Amino acid sequence: AINESRNTRRFNNTLLKHQNEAVGVNSFDIDVMKSFRQHEMHYGIEGYFNTVTSTANFENVLTGESTIADTRYPSGGSTMNNIAAYVQDLITIEENKWYANVGARLTSNTLTANFADTTFFKFPFKDVTQKNRALSGTASLVYMPSKGNRIALLGSTGFRSPNVDDITKVFETGPGYLIAPNPTLQPEYTYNAELSASHRIGTDGMIEGGVYYTFMDHALVVDRGTLDGKDSVMYEGAMTAVYTTQNKGQAMISGIYAAAKFNVGKYVVLSGNFNKSRGRILTNGVETPLDHIAPMSAKFALDYRKAKVN
């Protein structure tokens, strides 16, 4: 079990809000490996079973009196269960030259939530139930033209079912910014491609780099929404704009990266890396930036190691 709490109080307010979440986490994983000829196969099943119990109360910091408060997640409890079966085959096409990897995963996801207490929000729903299934796969090819050189091409599909946080959360992330539940959310799907290469320079150096592209369908994005048909609601004494997690059509993420590392003498290592990514979402023909995409970054390092000195 994992317990998490949030304690908040507005400036000059006598009420201290306590929000507590108890998360139950259970899982199992059965993995089998079998090697034959040029194949190394892995297959099995795995399952994750999670529960979330939310409680909340206001505490008067002057009198100690306790009163009911709104919970971050459904007060009647939430569950999210995930069961998947998978298979993966690592294939040696030609020793020290060509390798391949193919795999598939069938996933079934179930989510339930109960909004038992509607004291603070008159939701137009009380229970939320979702069942989502998807088949995803991956395929890659690795070519090693010579010792120390490697070229890899990867293609894959991905699937993410909305979780308890996406669908049911009620949370004020900032003044005038309230995230509300959205029980109509659907899974998002990704289609990925990556090309990378690496080259070893003698025994003292290595350079590598690559490009990648991800196409997202039904992308999950937080945007202005409504709660019971209203785009703003009264929350803790203030009119607050409503935001919800939504499926926003299609999104694209692309990027490039490079890295290098060299031994300079016996005790010094020189290294560096560079990353640049770009994310855009397309809604009704309009392209806008996609959130949570890191900006360009670079790092340069000089590392000296000798005996116990680093």
Side-chain angles (χ1 to χ4, degrees):
I2 301 170
N3 295 301
E4 182 177 289
S5 62
R6 294 171 178 82
N7 303 287
T8 57
R9 182 164 70 97
R10 292 184 183 275
F11 185 64
N12 283 335
N13 196 317
T14 60
L15 293 180
L16 171 63
K17 178 191 275 190
H18 302 283
Q19 290 179 309
N20 303 289
E21 274 71 55
V23 182
V25 180
N26 299 282
S27 65
F28 74 88
D29 183 5
I30 300 174
D31 184 79
V32 180
M33 184 186 77
K34 181 177 178 62
S35 297
F36 59 97
R37 296 191 181 93
Q38 296 172 300
H39 300 265
E40 182 181 302
M41 295 197 68
H42 295 258
Y43 54 92
I45 57 174
E46 62 183 18
Y48 299 91
F49 308 95
N50 303 310
T51 61
V52 182
T53 303
S54 290
T55 59
N57 69 285
F58 284 114
E59 176 191 355
N60 190 306
V61 296
L62 299 180
T63 66
E65 180 185 5
S66 178
T67 55
I68 189 172
D70 56 298
T71 57
R72 179 181 172 95
Y73 300 109
S75 57
S78 308
T79 66
M80 187 169 182
N81 301 323
N82 182 297
I83 297 178
Y86 59 88
V87 59
Q88 182 184 38
D89 188 9
L90 305 176
I91 308 168
T92 302
I93 302 173
E94 182 180 347
E95 190 72 34
N96 297 322
K97 185 71 72 172
W98 289 95
Y99 297 89
N101 178 12
V102 293
R105 176 185 294 264
L106 179 63
T107 304
S108 177
N109 188 284
T110 303
L111 182 147
T112 64
N114 176 254
F115 294 85
D117 188 350
T118 58
T119 302
F120 295 90
F121 298 102
K122 305 298 182 183
F123 296 123
F125 47 83
K126 185 175 181 180
D127 296 291
V128 174
T129 300
Q130 281 210 354
K131 294 182 180 180
N132 299 306
R133 293 179 179 85
L135 178 65
S136 56
T138 182
S140 66
L141 185 64
V142 175
Y143 173 54
M144 304 174 67
S146 59
K147 187 176 181 180
N149 294 292
R150 181 178 181 272
I151 301 172
L153 179 65
L154 167 70
S156 66
T157 63
F159 158 78
R160 186 170 90 83
S161 187
N163 57 34
V164 172
D165 193 80
D166 296 321
I167 294 179
T168 70
K169 177 173 60 179
V170 180
F171 184 59
E172 186 182 30
T173 60
Y177 190 107
L178 180 72
I179 295 182
N182 181 7
T184 65
L185 271 183
Q186 298 299 312
E188 68 178 3
Y189 301 86
T190 64
Y191 305 88
N192 317 285
E194 180 177 353
L195 176 64
S196 63
S198 63
H199 173 62
R200 183 168 295 280
I201 304 172
T203 59
D204 298 323
M206 184 273 295
I207 57 174
E208 63 178 333
V211 294
Y212 58 87
Y213 179 84
T214 294
F215 176 81
M216 303 171 66
D217 197 17
H218 294 86
L220 297 177
V221 178
V222 176
D223 202 354
R224 285 299 302 269
T226 61
L227 181 59
D228 200 15
K230 301 175 182 177
D231 61 7
S232 297
V233 296
M234 190 64 68
Y235 183 75
E236 295 191 0
M239 188 59 70
T240 305
V242 174
Y243 288 77
T244 60
T245 303
Q246 306 167 26
N247 294 107
K248 299 290 284 187
Q250 299 172 337
M252 293 75 68
I253 303 172
S254 58
I256 183 171
Y257 63 91
K261 185 176 182 180
F262 299 94
N263 294 327
V264 183
K266 188 177 179 180
Y267 305 111
V268 179
V269 177
L270 180 65
S271 63
N273 60 57
F274 167 83
N275 294 276
K276 181 176 175 57
S277 56
R278 182 179 187 269
R280 292 294 184 268
I281 186 163
L282 189 64
T283 305
N284 298 324
V286 180
E287 190 179 273
T288 55
L290 181 67
D291 60 358
H292 294 89
I293 301 300
M296 183 182 73
S297 64
K299 176 184 177 181
F300 171 80
L302 192 62
D303 189 16
Y304 174 83
R305 295 184 181 183
K306 183 179 180 181
K308 297 182 179 180
V309 177
N310 183 10

